[in-house]
Amino acid sequence: MGSGGQRGVAHDPGSQRPESLESPGSPRPPPPPPRHGPGALPGPAVPALPRRLHLRQEERHPLRAAPRGAAQSVAILLYLNRKYKVPDHWYPQDLQACARVDEYLAWQHTTLRRNCLRALWHKVMFPVFLGEPVSPEMLAATLAELDATLQLLEDKFLQNKAFLTGPHISLADLIAITELMHPVGAGCQIFEGRPKLAAWRRRVEAAVGEDLFQEAHEVILKAKDSPPADPIIKQKLMPRVLAMIQ
Amino acid sequence: MGLELYLDLLSQPCRAVYIFAKRNGIPFELRPVEIFRGQLLSKDFSQINSLCKVPALKDGDFILSESTAILIYLSCKYPTADHWYPSNLQARARIHEYLGWHADCVRGTFGAPLWIQVLAPLIGVHLPEEKVQRNRAAIDRALQQLEDKFLRDQAFLTGQDVTLADLMALEELIQPVAVGFDLFEGRPKLAAWRERLEAFLGTDLCQETHGLILNILEQAANKKIPDPAPEIYPYMLLRISRIP
């Protein structure tokens, strides 16, 4: 496997990050020339942002996310981020700023992502799509867990910052907002009574662009209108869904 | 004060961080934290990491949690060989691809046998056989995928060189082994991978890192495991309830 041929233009943090690295014996290659701005190479402008959200198409429909395990969207986003010259704030060069994004991306997997998916499935997808009732106690427990996670999101990550890991939007915010659209699509009013989170959401939407944001979430926001699944599909999906939302 | 690592070697992600730091000669102060004595919830520790989790890293004023983030930070900050977290875009993407699957299918699943056999009984909880079997089946499925989708005919999980992915996987796989579930038996490919990896890391380092966990059954038998502190009962009960 090699992307060696692209090194001249690829945005490769491996060659730029170690300002603090002490390795006197091994000089690092010079950073690649920028693709935008002063000193940029000619070439097609890469619309990095639309690519990010379009490549998350697999998440647009909860069904498609189910078998694949949407965790791969992190790997895909990181790949895109490095391959195309995108603004630094998405996944900063700075070691500590980048570590904050890594920390969020790791934390969210078993917390926010899990609870958002459970809320979607317990509130809407099981009863409406799969025709499987969910007890009020189970639903209440799921929504309570989601609530607790949202509190952690605000208290430990967002705090008084504009975005989750600092003053600028990053991949952390992108991953977070797309997960939060699952319970929103299920009709949960998660931003009600959470003005801080609601303000953050507005900032993220503004940074992404409202039209693009709507487009990316069009399908998930209609989750509760899903027609019932055909029995054969239901049978195939059930074990995978159950495994996904444990 | 230099780099500090807050670790409990009973925990899989803690061991991955420990073994990485040691293998790469990264100087650090070990701050042992004993989860089951409730030390995660102590005032001192929650000032270090308000998320109350280990592993945690403290580098001057910079505090970081999550083993993946810590491993990446260490591999970038200190002079470590490129293969751990390669600068090659596609090689690096393979590691993240593995870590995504690992978070879904390995994390949680491979920790369950220790909970079922040793930790839950400490607070009087005994899980039904149905859950034990379901967990075994999940472990088997994950091992099959590990071999078929990741390891395949390669020396290591994402290619011919050892990476962070291998460390994360090894420490999770050791966990059930520690309670007598020899998941390498009948899986020669995986057993060979483990041997290669442990040879690369060094026998002494592996023994040092794995000593505590591999001794857990003996400790339990001799009633040497301290009773869990009451303040962590909620955490334990929550964790147990997550076993499907």
Side-chain angles (χ1 to χ4, degrees):
Chain A
M1 52 177 102
S3 65
Q6 300 196 1
R7 197 178 302 175
V9 288
H11 176 60
D12 184 359
S15 65
Q16 292 191 34
R17 193 172 293 176
E19 289 105 29
S20 49
L21 207 70
E22 290 123 39
S23 48
S26 48
R28 295 274 172 165
R35 295 204 58 192
H36 303 280
L41 293 178
V46 174
L49 192 45
R51 273 173 202 263
R52 282 174 201 285
L53 289 181
H54 281 231
L55 268 198
R56 297 201 65 181
Q57 264 183 50
E58 66 171 30
E59 289 218 341
R60 284 198 194 185
H61 196 290
L63 264 200
R64 276 189 246 144
R68 230 165 294 187
Q72 294 320 327
S73 44
V74 169
I76 293 170
L77 281 173
L78 290 174
Y79 178 82
L80 289 180
N81 184 86
R82 288 185 176 95
K83 184 164 172 160
Y84 299 96
K85 173 71 172 171
V86 304
D88 183 69
H89 60 75
W90 288 110
Y91 193 59
Q93 286 293 285
D94 176 80
L95 192 58
Q96 293 186 356
C98 183
R100 285 278 164 251
V101 179
D102 288 332
E103 182 185 45
Y104 179 77
L105 294 179
W107 174 82
Q108 60 89 34
H109 199 103
T110 50
T111 53
L112 193 68
R113 176 172 167 265
R114 174 185 179 267
N115 291 328
C116 285
L117 278 175
R118 284 169 71 84
L120 172 68
W121 281 85
H122 289 171
K123 188 158 177 358
V124 165
M125 301 307 284
F126 273 124
V128 170
F129 179 64
L130 295 180
E132 288 286 320
V134 172
S135 74
E137 295 79 36
M138 170 124 245
L139 181 58
T142 296
L143 295 178
E145 274 203 69
L146 177 61
D147 199 62
T149 306
L150 292 173
Q151 198 59 50
L152 275 179
L153 184 66
E154 282 195 351
D155 295 343
K156 306 295 181 196
F157 290 96
L158 186 56
Q159 297 176 329
N160 293 313
K161 308 195 292 293
F163 295 97
L164 291 179
T165 57
H168 303 294
I169 195 171
S170 74
L171 295 186
D173 303 280
L174 208 61
I175 291 269
I177 202 76
T178 51
E179 297 297 348
L180 290 174
M181 288 303 117
H182 291 140
V184 169
C188 299
Q189 309 287 352
I190 57 170
F191 295 103
E192 210 123 299
R194 290 186 187 282
K196 222 196 232 184
L197 208 61
W200 163 80
R201 176 208 175 148
R202 284 193 293 274
R203 283 192 289 275
V204 171
E205 277 192 51
V208 163
E210 269 186 48
D211 289 345
L212 180 56
F213 192 86
Q214 287 305 320
E215 185 192 332
H217 294 116
E218 201 183 312
V219 174
I220 192 61
L221 289 174
K222 294 189 197 146
K224 41 188 183 330
D225 304 325
S226 308
D230 139 336
I232 299 178
I233 294 190
K234 175 179 168 176
Q235 202 179 26
K236 272 185 165 175
L237 278 181
M238 273 303 260
R240 287 162 143 184
V241 170
L242 290 173
M244 172 184 73
I245 60 168
Q246 282 305 340
Chain B
M1 183 75 63
L3 181 70
E4 294 166 72
L5 294 177
Y6 292 78
L7 306 173
D8 182 337
L9 292 187
L10 283 181
S11 138
Q12 307 89 302
C14 285
R15 292 197 298 271
V17 169
Y18 182 82
I19 217 169
F20 180 77
K22 283 274 184 160
R23 179 61 174 76
N24 285 285
I26 295 172
F28 67 93
E29 294 256 8
L30 175 65
R31 300 276 180 235
V33 176
E34 290 181 71
I35 299 173
F36 295 99
R37 290 194 195 264
Q39 289 175 3
L40 281 184
L41 300 173
S42 76
K43 238 188 172 171
D44 291 334
F45 188 72
S46 59
Q47 274 165 13
I48 300 295
N49 178 12
S50 59
L51 284 170
C52 296
K53 287 170 79 179
V54 279
L57 169 154
K58 187 165 189 289
D59 190 3
D61 289 329
F62 181 67
I63 291 171
L64 188 65
S65 64
E66 298 296 332
S67 52
T68 306
I70 292 172
L71 286 168
I72 293 173
Y73 179 81
L74 292 177
S75 69
C76 291
K77 177 167 177 172
Y78 294 91
T80 59
D82 186 68
H83 65 80
W84 289 106
Y85 190 58
S87 44
N88 174 283
L89 180 61
Q90 292 181 1
R92 197 177 273 199
R94 289 274 168 244
I95 294 175
H96 283 286
E97 185 185 42
Y98 172 76
L99 291 174
W101 176 82
H102 176 102
D104 268 339
C105 299
V106 175
R107 190 81 191 111
T109 302
F110 282 68
L114 177 70
W115 280 93
I116 291 169
Q117 278 189 246
V118 176
L119 300 174
L122 288 178
I123 56 169
V125 176
H126 298 273
L127 275 87
E129 187 60 21
E130 187 196 10
K131 290 202 171 196
V132 178
Q133 291 310 324
R134 201 174 293 145
N135 175 246
R136 292 254 155 149
I139 288 179
D140 282 331
R141 278 195 304 272
L143 290 171
Q144 201 57 54
Q145 281 195 284
L146 192 63
E147 284 195 352
D148 296 343
K149 186 180 145 123
F150 293 100
L151 189 57
R152 294 177 292 148
D153 294 318
Q154 300 169 146
F156 297 100
L157 291 181
T158 61
Q160 294 306 112
D161 294 310
V162 178
T163 68
L164 302 180
D166 298 283
L167 293 188
M168 294 292 282
L170 177 69
E171 296 312 327
E172 288 291 342
L173 266 57
I174 293 283
Q175 207 80 342
V177 168
V179 292
F181 180 179
D182 190 2
L183 40 87
F184 292 101
E185 176 135 354
R187 292 199 166 87
K189 223 199 240 186
L190 216 52
W193 162 79
R194 177 196 180 176
E195 250 187 71
R196 269 192 296 277
L197 181 54
E198 291 193 331
F200 181 84
L201 294 169
T203 318
D204 289 345
L205 179 56
C206 289
Q207 276 174 5
E208 183 189 325
T209 310
H210 299 151
L212 188 66
I213 189 66
L214 289 178
N215 215 24
I216 198 80
L217 278 187
E218 197 181 306
Q219 291 227 311
N222 297 336
K223 308 239 186 278
K224 290 256 183 76
I225 303 182
D227 287 333
E231 48 280 20
I232 61 154
Y233 278 34
Y235 152 72
M236 289 180 72
L237 290 168
L238 181 65
R239 175 65 187 90
I240 292 163
S241 72
R242 293 264 177 101
I243 297 171

